[in-house]
């Protein structure tokens, strides 16, 4: 019955449960969305360690896996803010760069998701 101004929850390229119901409710109520745990507590970096980004990432200005994961989230029109959480200045700069360049559309986001499944 309540319509909160904002909500905060986990969401990442691998943990997409919010797409099943939360995002529909958010859309209906115009609720702002804060995303935490965008890197699955670091597990996404463990999966991709030593792996090269696909060449098509250049089209989106993606230069690191962190940017890949964040751009996937930021390109969702319902997401207002992502909280990656870091204590290292160079990670802050790298994370911020995910907000620049071309954003993938829904079809391109699925391409990102499917590519990650192949690693």
């Amino acid at each position: 019955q309540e319509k909160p101004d904002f909500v905060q929850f986990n969401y990442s390229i691998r943990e997409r449960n919010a797409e099943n119901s939360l995002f529909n409710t958010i859309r209906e109520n115009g609720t702002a969305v804060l995303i935490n745990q965008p890197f699955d507590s670091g597990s996404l970096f463990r999966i991709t360690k030593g792996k090269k980004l696909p060449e098509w990432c250049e089209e989106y200005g993606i230069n690191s896996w962190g940017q890949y994961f964040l751009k996937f989230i930021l390109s969702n029109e319902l997401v207002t803010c992502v909280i990656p959480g870091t204590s290292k200045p160079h990670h802050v700069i790298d994370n911020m760069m995910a907000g620049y360049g071309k954003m993938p559309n829904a079809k391109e986001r699925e391409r990102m998701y499917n590519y990650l499944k192949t690693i």
Side-chain angles (χ1 to χ4, degrees):
Q1 291 178 341
E2 297 295 322
K3 293 185 179 184
D5 294 328
F6 67 92
V7 292
Q8 179 177 329
F9 52 84
N10 298 354
Y11 178 63
S12 74
I13 194 168
R14 276 194 346 172
E15 296 295 327
R16 299 174 63 183
N17 294 332
E19 294 174 358
N20 297 329
S21 61
L22 283 174
F23 281 144
N24 290 333
T25 303
I26 288 161
R27 183 179 288 111
E28 292 169 6
N29 293 301
T31 306
V33 176
L34 307 174
I35 299 299
N36 59 35
Q37 297 293 323
F39 304 132
D40 286 344
S41 299
S43 69
L44 290 173
F45 292 116
R46 289 188 287 280
I47 292 168
T48 56
K49 186 175 183 172
K51 308 288 187 199
K52 285 188 167 189
L53 289 166
E55 288 186 21
W56 46 263
C57 285
E58 288 181 29
E59 180 181 347
Y60 304 97
I62 297 171
N63 298 303
S64 69
W65 283 108
Q67 292 174 18
Y68 187 97
F69 305 136
L70 290 173
K71 194 165 285 246
F72 175 87
I73 296 168
L74 288 168
S75 62
N76 183 318
E77 65 184 17
L78 297 174
V79 172
T80 308
C81 177
V82 181
I83 307 167
T86 184
S87 61
K88 298 182 180 178
H90 67 280
H91 288 166
V92 173
I93 293 167
D94 187 66
N95 292 344
M96 288 174 50
M97 296 308 295
Y100 292 92
K102 179 182 173 187
M103 290 291 173
N105 61 31
K107 182 179 176 184
E108 294 161 337
R109 290 176 73 232
E110 284 305 308
R111 178 184 189 190
M112 294 172 79
Y113 170 74
N114 289 326
Y115 181 80
L116 185 63
K117 288 192 324 185
T118 68
I119 294 178

